[in-house]
Every structure is written in structure tokens, then in C-alpha cells.
Amino acid sequence: MAAAASARCLGVRCRLPLPLTSRRASPLGRARSCRFYSGSATLPKGEGADVTGIEVVIPKRKTWDKVAVLQALASTVNRDTTAAPYAFQDDPYLIPTSSVESRSFLLAKKSGENAAKFIINLHPKYFQKDIAEPHIPCLMPECFEPQIEDISEAALQERIKLKKVKASVDMFDQLLQAGTTVSLETTNSLLDLLCYYGDQEPPADYHFQQSEKSEELEEASEENTEKPKKKAGQQLGATWRAKNNAERIFALMPEKNAHSYYTMIRGMVKHRAPVQALNLYTELLNNRLHADVYTFNSLIEATAMMNEKYEEKWNNMLELLKQMAMQKVKPNLQTFNTILKCLRRFYAFGKLPALQTLREMKALGIEPSLATYHYIIQLFYQHESPSKGSSLVIYDIMNELMGKKFSPQDPDDDMFFQSAMRVCSSLKDLELAYQVHGLLNTGDNWKFIGPSHRRNFYYSKFFSLLCLMEQIDITLKWYKDLIPSVFFPHSQALIDLLRALDVANRLEVIPQIWKDSKEYGHTFRSNLKEEILMLMARDQHPPELQVAFADCAADIKSTYESQDARQTAPDWPAGSLNCIAVLFLRAGRAQEAWKMLGLFKKHNKIPRNELLNEFMDNAKASNSPAQAIEIVRLASAFSLPVCEGLAQRVMTDFAISQEQKEALGHLTASASDSDSDSSSDSDGDINEGK
Amino acid sequence: MAASMCSRGLGPWVLSRSHALPCAWRALHVSAACAKNRAARVRVGKGDKPVTYEEAHAPHHIAHRKGWLSLHTGLLLGSALWFPLRYGNLDGQDHAAERTVEDVFLRKFVLGTFPGCLADQLVLKRRANQVEVCALVLRQLPAHKLYFLVGYSEALLSHFYKCPVRMHLQTVPSKVVYKYI
């Protein structure tokens, strides 16, 4: 009955005859669109006569984000692999060609913005006209000087807001001397400021210094976790001096509440004064106050900083956690991350506690973040020695993380992908690397790749693994996809690629690789050039390929020459000279090949025997005894033992005149002067020949 | 842009004498004369003066052989309705003048910020509430210095006009000569 009525009204709306089966399928909402709709496949068609008890479920109205259309359009477009990142200007002169250049361009742009902000804040009166509606606060000039001049609590609060440490401490002292009591919240916020900055002024270019220092740490040692910790301790922030302003003000406070204790403890731990922090904690407990979760996190760090044995430290941490449970403070993600971060330094001892921590986390229902997994990977894969039998925890981790999307929760979240790829590379597991890369491309996880040096590290390791393990066609596809739009390869990465091409017998791609290497700033990288030349010159190849190789060799030769022009002492490696000469010879560019022979003397390098033999073959093919004799002369000039053989060959293969024979004899005589064994025989021969 | 300023000191006195007379007094020009048949034209020389395509064509060739250097919708009726962010009132009237004044400032500013580097006039485009400055730049300065100047001008102009200002550069090795006149 109800269904008939609904069918009628549906029919009225849609003006189409509806088959009976589809009636129960579609919700009323759909019928508004006047389209012929088919039944949903999920509902069973079997319930034929059950039309009366149907509930029509009207779906909730969808609310769309303001930029939903743009997001949908953006999802249809993939990354352009031929374009430089959008932060750069789209011009060949302005597109960076190496990672050093890309970093310097972005820094230059940021420095320009800082210069503009400086000018704007210096002359704010020109930038006050506000024509934007609604008001855009970030485009207005900022005021960095305190406005209120008199001694009052409001002035103190203003100075605290402007983060002026010394000025606020002075104002506080003046207030106390004047006799006015400062309220508890203001004193607490003053303590916050002092503890956060360790009683020092915040540095003027705070953000720049932070990022530079952390990058130095990364580049210095990626695998070694111990050294960066020590360096971090020395560079980040100041040490907590005893009797500094924060402690003095804390002692002066007539009444302290829990917040004061929290700030002091956290400040002491941040500036590496764990003993005072723990003492203050006992004082907190003596005053019958409870600590909050952030304070407990700091205290856990403090126990790890103390100079004790691993077991003792771990027991202390467990003790703290028990107290936390007693005080009914719920741990959060940071608690567990801090525990794992401290366990990292315990080496082998920390493995079991780490797994226990992870289980506890799951039991409490706290979702681990990427930083958690990063700490676990670092703990279990600290030293790259697969021979010791590395654990399989990475596989469990990746199985767990498949398809998950993360949001930023911990400052160390962006270290996960780097350490995961490092492990894949050391385990030489390509499937795992694909899994990690798949996780990176899920949802918004690309944001966790980190700053440029971390991204470069990740992709270098990934690409090296691909060159080692993957089929050459797929490797070349990845090459085109990643380079140079995502990262600029090191010369080692290109050498790995060349070796992969060698293994797969695809040497014809080599000239293209050389052309690309020049664009990435490897024009003067001698190990790369030697590798290329060696691979090209090793075997014989069909003629067209030989011509291409010869062109490539000529190009490399010109780079050596331009390098010579810049340096005072010419320095061509012997291998390169040999290879270039061979390549010219094989491609039929005989004149240039002969010029190369002349260069050997100039650079004090010795030609190889195979090279001279090839020249002899070439001379035979072109049937010129003069060249043959030239070769022998060269060999004798270098006092090579092969000179004998060459001379014999000349005499047998070529039709030479008498003078030439004599000249040859002289040459062999002078060469064999140093050689004692065959000297008598050849002398005898020559005398007879005369 | 020629404006002849009439000194009206004599006007009212004259009129007060003869009410029925229509405005027929002699005007006094006190500014330099800017004849409209000499506007935006490079005078023909001996054949050794290089000119770009933009300079070589006179203003009456706009929309026939050359485009506009400054693109905005200030002349359309009701244009401010769509973008109230930048326009205080929603009438859509007389915004072309404000845009022109902004253009003059932008051109002078960029000319000074990129000293000797501009190869041609700027092209200014206004899209939604953004301003896009498209400049043709010579390769005088090294690339990182150009990026510094781009970051500086983008930030300063954004703060000045309270709207996103973007710079797009295209570099050329030297001024692109169309012909020699």
C-alpha cells in the first residue's frame, strides 16, 4: 500500500514507468533528479512480496568544503614529470639544475621576503591603508615594540606577549619594588616565557637557525643516533643555569599553583637540568599536587638523561608510569613517543621494552603515529649489518601501515620514510620499497617526506635499489619519472644506473644518460665520465652505435679540454685517454684518434697494449706502413715491452722499404737496450739485416 | 593624460559682467603640451634605433596588432559585485582610474627594483583579487639575485595592496628587437 503510493509519487516525479524491482532500491532523494535509475545492487532482489514494511531512508544532506570543486579537479591531474616544482619561475635560466641550486634559490626568495617584512615593519605608516574586506591580518605591518610605558601589570603582559625576556623580567622586578602584587596568571605566563627560552632572548632569526642546525645533524650522520643527540644537546637552546631568573622568580612567588611547577619542570628538562626537575617533582608531590600528562612526559625524558645504567633508567621510567596511573593521569601519544625516543639510546636492551610499550599503546587505544614507527625502526635496525640476522619487524610495520592516512601529530613524523627506505635499501628488498613508496603516495602522506635533503636521501636510496633489483625497462621509466622533477641524482646514482644498463645489455642508452648528466651539473665529475667511457669502449658494437659512442666521447673530450683551460696542471685519467682513442678508432675517425695518441705524451700517460694493437689493425686496414712505424716509434718512446711484438708484426704484415726497416731496427734496438733478454738476438738480427 | 589647466581667475569676473554669454573665454595652459598624435610612439630616426614590437606600434594598433599591457575589468559595469574583497563599495563605477594609478605605481616600483634588467614594459593582469606581474627580464643578474628580488617585490606589494601579488619572469639574453627605425 505504502509502496504503491510511493510508486505513484515516484512515477509522478519521474514521469517514467518504473519496474517493480527497482522500487525498493532507490531512496526518495534520488528521484528528484528525473533520471531513470536502476536498483542498487546491494539490496537483495529476492524479497518479492515484502513491499509494505519498507523504510525509505533519506540520506543526510552532504555538506561540501568550500574548495571541494577545486580538490576534485586537482585529483584528476597528476604530477607533471617534465616541469620543475612550482616554487621556481618557469624559465630555463631560472630553473635549478642541482639540489644545491634549488636550495639556494628558495633561500634567496625567502630572504627577499624577510627583507620586505623588515622594510614594512620599519615604515608601518605606508602600509596602514586597509582596502581588503574582510580584513587580512597577515598583510598588515607588525609592531614589535611595546606601547605601554608605565609600570603596570598590563605593561608586563604586553612585554610577555612580545616575547621580550629581559624587558619583562625588568618590568616584573620594578613592579615588585613598587610593591604591587602581580597576579598568579601573569607570573605563570612570565615563568612560561622564561622556561621556554631558557632565560635568554629568542634569537632574531629563530626559524632559520633551527632548520639549519637540524639539517646539519641529518647530513652528518643518518644512521648513528647517538651523535646527533649530543650535538642537539649542545646546540639547541641554552643550559639551565642555577639561580637564574626563572628560579629566582619562582622562589619569590607568594603562592604557587600546579601550573608554576609544571612550567618549571618542563623548562628544566628542556634545558638539560634533570636533577633539579626531579627534585621539583618531589616538591610538587609534597605539596599534595598532581602532575599533568605533559609534565610526566618531561619527567620521563629527565629520567633518561640521568647518568645511570639502562636497567635502572627503565625501572625509574616504569616507576613514573605507575605514579601516573595512581594520580589518574591518562597518557597520550607523546608519552609513548618520549619513552620510545629514550629507549633508542639503550641499544639492544631497549628492544623488549619498546615492544612492550607498543603493546601498551594498542591496549590503551592510542593510535601510533609515524614517529612511533620511526623510533622502532631506528631501535631495531641501528647498525647496518644484515649478516647479524636483522629482525623482521619492518615487514610487520609495513603490513600494519598499508593504506593508512596520517595527520601530523609529532615533530618527528617526517623522519619515518627516510628510515624506512634506509632499511629497505640495506635489506635489498624491492617489494618492501614499493610498499613504502605506496604508503607515501596514499592520501596526504606525501607531506611527511620532510625537507629537501631528506627527500633527496629517500629518493636516492629508492632509485639505487631500483637500479640494482628491477628490470631495466621499469627502471628507465622510474628514471624519467623521478629525475629531475623530484630529485637531482648524485653521480653515484647515475653510476648505478649505468651498471644496471650494462647488466641488461642496453648500452645504447648511454649517450642519453651523458646528455642528462650534463644538465644535472655532473659535467666535471671524473668518476662518472670514466665509467661511461669504460662501458662504451669495452666491446665492439654495430656501426651506428659506434658512431653515437664516438660523438659522446668527443663531447666528453671537450669537457676535459675546458677543464684543462681552467686548471694549470692538465690531468686526464689514463683510462679516459685510452677509451676515447679506441672509440674514435672504431667509429672510423682516424685523424682524431691519432691526435689522441699525441696527447698521451703530453699528459704523461701510458697507452695500453690493446690500444696499440687496435691501432696496428687500423693501420693494416688502411694499408699505411708509415702509420705502423709511427706506432712502433710511440711504443719505443714509452719503452713498452710490447714494442718487440709490434715491430715483428710490422715486418711480417707490411710491405716496407729498406729505410723503414732500418728505422724499425733502430727503434727496436733502442727499446731493447733496457730489455736484457732479447737484446742479443735482436742485435744479431739487425746486424745481419744491415 | 594631457591635462590643460585653465586658470579661471578671469572667468567669473567676465561672466558676472555678461550673463547671457556662453563660456567663451580664453584659457591659459600652464602645463607642457602633450599632443595626442605623439603619444606612445617612438620617433623615426636614421635606421639605427632598435625598437621592440611593443614600441614599434602606435596606440591605434592596440587590438589590431598588439594587445593591452594592463588587463582588468574596471570598465565593466558592476565588476565590483563579484570581488567585493578589494572594492569597498559595490557600485562598479570608476574603478578604472584606481587600477590605472596602481598600475603606474607597480611599473615604477618594478622598474626601480630590477635595475637595468627589464627588457620590455610590464604586463599586468588582474585575476579575481590577485595581481599578476609578468616581466621580461634580461639575464644581467645571477639567478639567485633575481629570486631575491622576486620574493622581495611580491611580499612588499602584497602588503601594500592587501592582495596576493605574483611575479612571473621570463628571461631573454638581450632586448628583443623587432626592427630598426
Side-chain angles (χ1 to χ4, degrees):
Chain A
M1 178 67 167
S6 65
R8 232 181 300 129
C9 65
L10 284 176
V12 159
R13 280 193 214 169
C14 285
R15 296 188 195 98
L16 281 171
L18 298 168
L20 268 168
T21 49
S22 64
R23 220 184 306 150
R24 67 181 85 87
S26 326
L28 264 177
R30 286 264 196 100
R32 256 183 264 135
S33 64
C34 281
R35 273 182 305 169
F36 183 59
Y37 50 86
S38 61
S40 159
T42 53
L43 284 182
K45 298 211 167 121
E47 20 175 49
D50 192 30
V51 288
T52 47
I54 288 186
E55 239 178 73
V56 179
V57 175
I58 304 176
K60 279 209 176 67
R61 186 203 172 92
K62 275 190 184 175
T63 51
W64 294 99
D65 195 12
K66 272 189 220 164
V67 290
V69 175
L70 290 175
Q71 282 173 345
L73 286 173
S75 66
T76 62
V77 181
N78 292 327
R79 185 175 60 87
D80 183 2
T81 55
T82 58
Y86 68 89
F88 301 110
Q89 299 279 334
D90 192 10
D91 184 77
Y93 184 69
L94 295 173
I95 288 179
T97 55
S98 68
S99 51
V100 168
E101 261 188 29
S102 57
R103 189 181 137 82
S104 106
F105 289 171
L106 290 175
L107 283 177
K109 193 165 171 193
K110 185 68 187 166
S111 150
E113 286 171 28
N114 288 344
K117 285 223 178 68
F118 173 75
I119 301 277
I120 291 165
N121 291 329
L122 205 60
H123 304 285
K125 57 184 187 293
Y126 300 121
F127 297 91
Q128 299 288 359
K129 183 173 173 199
D130 192 8
I131 37 182
E133 195 170 317
H135 176 67
I136 305 175
C138 70
L139 289 181
M140 299 299 287
E142 290 167 11
C143 191
F144 289 131
E145 296 305 313
Q147 308 286 74
I148 311 175
E149 286 305 323
D150 55 338
I151 300 176
S152 68
E153 195 160 321
L156 176 60
Q157 283 170 345
E158 195 191 7
R159 276 156 183 76
I160 292 174
K161 202 154 68 80
L162 291 173
K163 299 200 187 84
K164 299 223 177 284
V165 171
K166 193 163 178 326
S168 32
V169 170
D170 289 339
M171 179 63 67
F172 182 80
D173 289 333
Q174 282 173 344
L175 277 171
L176 280 191
Q177 277 178 352
T180 48
T181 52
V182 188
S183 71
L184 188 58
E185 295 104 47
T186 319
T187 325
N188 275 344
S189 46
L190 179 62
L191 275 180
D192 284 341
L193 182 70
L194 288 173
C195 293
Y196 187 81
Y197 286 115
D199 206 20
Q200 287 191 349
E201 292 291 334
D205 46 350
Y206 185 58
H207 296 291
F208 260 58
Q209 277 188 6
Q210 285 284 20
S211 55
E212 272 178 30
K213 277 170 190 162
S214 57
E215 275 163 19
E216 280 167 27
L217 300 176
E218 282 304 324
E219 282 163 9
S221 54
E222 287 137 358
E223 297 97 36
N224 195 347
T225 57
E226 187 64 20
K227 267 198 286 180
K229 278 265 173 243
K230 289 213 178 84
K231 269 203 224 168
Q234 280 155 18
Q235 283 173 345
L236 283 177
T239 330
W240 186 268
R241 293 187 308 274
K243 306 279 178 293
N244 61 3
N245 283 326
E247 286 193 9
R248 181 172 61 86
I249 293 176
F250 186 71
L252 282 174
M253 280 167 75
E255 42 161 302
K256 310 182 224 285
N257 69 351
H259 183 93
S260 330
Y261 281 100
Y262 299 163
T263 331
M264 290 296 291
I265 292 175
R266 290 172 73 189
M268 283 170 179
V269 173
K270 177 175 175 181
H271 299 286
R272 294 178 313 282
V275 181
Q276 286 108 310
L278 290 169
N279 290 344
L280 206 59
Y281 174 63
T282 41
E283 200 180 308
L284 172 83
L285 290 178
N286 287 345
N287 286 357
R288 282 188 293 278
L289 292 168
H290 290 297
D292 69 345
V293 64
Y294 305 107
T295 320
F296 270 114
N297 294 348
S298 305
L299 286 168
I300 292 173
E301 253 190 86
T303 52
M305 275 196 246
M306 307 279 280
N307 251 341
E308 289 159 355
K309 297 216 315 225
Y310 298 150
E311 289 87 5
E312 281 182 41
K313 282 196 229 187
W314 175 240
N315 288 337
N316 287 344
M317 279 198 235
L318 286 176
E319 192 55 45
L320 263 177
L321 290 172
K322 285 199 193 89
Q323 287 184 7
M324 202 169 168
M326 266 196 323
Q327 293 178 19
K328 298 204 182 19
V329 177
K330 288 191 85 53
N332 65 358
L333 174 67
Q334 282 301 341
T335 321
F336 293 106
N337 278 352
T338 321
I339 297 176
L340 285 170
K341 197 155 58 156
C342 300
L343 282 175
R344 258 193 320 184
R345 279 183 265 149
F346 293 177
Y347 298 118
F349 175 77
K351 287 190 188 174
L352 185 58
L355 291 177
Q356 287 176 336
T357 316
L358 201 58
R359 253 174 257 137
E360 185 74 23
M361 218 165 154
K362 299 272 175 62
L364 280 172
I366 298 181
E367 194 59 40
S369 73
L370 284 176
T372 323
Y373 296 113
H374 161 68
Y375 296 138
I376 293 181
I377 289 177
Q378 274 204 308
L379 187 57
F380 280 83
Y381 294 95
Q382 234 157 20
H383 308 286
E384 291 188 20
S385 48
S387 61
K388 261 207 291 194
S390 32
S391 77
L392 300 173
V393 78
I394 183 77
Y395 295 99
D396 296 328
I397 292 178
M398 286 319 296
N399 286 340
E400 172 114 12
L401 291 180
M402 197 105 79
K404 276 207 191 147
K405 299 187 190 162
F406 289 94
S407 58
Q409 286 168 300
D410 189 291
D412 275 343
D413 276 342
D414 57 353
M415 317 243 325
F416 168 74
F417 283 105
Q418 180 195 26
S419 42
M421 190 48 79
R422 176 176 60 84
V423 169
C424 293
S425 173
S426 70
L427 289 177
K428 305 255 186 305
D429 191 341
L430 189 62
E431 281 309 314
L432 195 62
Y434 277 138
Q435 273 187 318
V436 174
H437 197 66
L439 182 65
L440 183 67
N441 291 335
T442 321
D444 274 344
N445 290 353
W446 58 268
K447 294 180 185 167
F448 292 102
I449 191 65
S452 65
H453 62 274
R454 228 169 271 159
R455 187 175 61 233
N456 283 348
F457 176 81
Y458 172 89
Y459 280 107
S460 314
K461 289 273 182 210
F462 185 46
F463 188 66
S464 301
L465 195 60
L466 280 171
C467 291
L468 200 58
M469 311 278 298
E470 182 62 278
Q471 285 181 359
I472 192 65
D473 287 324
I474 303 183
T475 310
L476 284 174
K477 255 197 250 161
W478 277 105
Y479 174 73
K480 280 201 192 24
D481 191 50
L482 292 178
I483 292 167
S485 49
V486 174
F487 79 108
F488 292 103
H490 293 295
S491 56
Q492 190 54 43
L494 289 170
I495 292 179
D496 289 339
L497 178 64
L498 289 169
R499 293 212 180 114
L501 287 171
D502 186 22
V503 163
N505 208 11
R506 291 278 296 268
L507 295 174
E508 67 268 11
V509 187
I510 291 186
Q512 179 62 37
I513 306 276
W514 166 244
K515 206 152 69 79
D516 291 341
S517 321
K518 279 197 293 181
E519 281 177 20
Y520 312 142
H522 295 311
T523 319
F524 298 116
R525 198 69 71 171
S526 103
N527 54 347
L528 182 65
K529 288 192 279 193
E530 281 183 42
E531 185 80 18
I532 290 178
L533 287 171
M534 194 269 294
L535 282 173
M536 287 198 293
R538 211 177 40 190
D539 307 309
Q540 288 274 5
H541 291 286
E544 317 82 35
L545 196 54
Q546 215 64 68
V547 166
F549 281 178
D551 291 332
C552 186
D555 200 29
I556 297 182
K557 176 164 159 269
S558 61
T559 66
Y560 275 123
E561 276 161 8
S562 65
Q563 206 172 5
D564 278 351
R566 291 187 308 169
Q567 293 169 344
T568 45
D571 181 30
W572 294 35
S576 306
L577 284 169
N578 278 311
C579 296
I580 296 177
V582 158
L583 286 167
F584 281 152
L585 207 55
R586 287 188 195 148
R589 287 150 78 147
Q591 279 202 332
E592 293 173 22
W594 279 97
K595 277 206 214 105
M596 289 304 303
L597 270 189
L599 280 177
F600 271 97
K601 193 77 186 179
K602 181 169 159 224
H603 291 279
N604 263 342
K605 300 282 189 321
I606 299 182
R608 284 201 209 115
N609 296 343
E610 299 86 17
L611 182 68
L612 293 173
N613 281 328
E614 280 219 30
F615 266 101
M616 190 61 75
D617 293 335
N618 184 275
K620 179 150 192 269
S622 62
N623 215 6
S624 75
Q627 282 184 352
I629 297 186
E630 191 59 40
I631 297 174
V632 182
R633 191 169 295 142
L634 199 70
S636 73
F638 281 111
S639 308
L640 292 174
V642 75
C643 180
E644 280 297 312
L646 285 174
Q648 292 290 332
R649 218 178 129 189
V650 169
M651 297 230 243
T652 48
D653 290 342
F654 288 82
I656 43 178
S657 64
Q658 192 62 21
E659 307 89 51
Q660 286 172 332
K661 275 212 190 101
E662 279 175 18
L664 210 56
H666 280 301
L667 284 173
T668 41
S670 58
S672 62
D673 275 343
S674 53
D675 197 16
S676 53
D677 286 16
S678 52
S679 58
S680 49
D681 299 12
S682 52
D683 273 348
D685 286 329
I686 288 163
N687 284 334
E688 283 174 17
K690 279 192 192 152
Chain B
M1 296 271 265
S4 63
M5 232 175 46
C6 311
S7 151
R8 293 181 189 257
L10 296 170
W13 191 78
V14 168
L15 269 182
S16 67
R17 277 285 190 93
S18 48
H19 311 277
L21 215 61
C23 295
W25 59 76
R26 296 266 171 86
L28 185 64
H29 292 253
V30 292
S31 70
C34 305
K36 52 183 201 280
N37 56 352
R38 295 184 72 102
R41 289 168 176 83
V42 178
R43 294 276 122 190
V44 172
K46 286 226 194 319
D48 56 353
K49 201 190 311 188
V51 285
T52 62
Y53 188 88
E54 165 70 38
E55 291 167 2
H57 289 87
H60 60 268
H61 288 132
I62 291 178
H64 299 272
R65 296 186 199 173
K66 65 179 192 176
W68 283 264
L69 287 178
S70 166
L71 297 154
H72 56 83
T73 60
L75 290 173
L76 293 181
L77 212 55
S79 63
L81 272 173
W82 305 111
F83 309 113
L85 286 170
R86 287 209 66 210
Y87 309 94
N89 49 344
L90 304 182
D91 316 76
Q93 294 171 2
D94 66 52
H95 290 297
E98 290 170 16
R99 304 288 88 76
T100 314
V101 170
E102 286 171 13
D103 284 358
V104 171
F105 177 81
L106 281 167
R107 285 176 203 282
K108 273 189 145 23
F109 179 85
V110 176
L111 184 67
T113 312
F114 291 82
C117 291
L118 291 181
D120 205 350
Q121 293 280 346
L122 294 185
V123 173
L124 301 169
K125 306 180 189 175
R126 281 179 179 79
R127 225 175 256 157
N129 73 333
Q130 300 171 16
V131 180
E132 308 207 357
V133 178
C134 306
L136 201 62
V137 179
L138 299 172
R139 293 175 188 167
Q140 299 261 19
L141 296 175
H144 61 271
K145 290 196 183 171
L146 282 175
Y147 272 101
F148 174 86
L149 291 174
V150 164
Y152 166 78
S153 31
E154 280 187 358
L156 199 91
L157 292 170
S158 300
H159 279 77
F160 192 64
Y161 285 121
K162 308 287 183 252
C163 68
V165 176
R166 269 187 247 272
M167 283 209 69
H168 300 286
L169 298 186
Q170 182 185 350
T171 57
V172 282
S174 60
K175 266 182 120 152
V176 185
V177 177
Y178 173 64
K179 63 182 185 182
Y180 291 89
I181 56 175

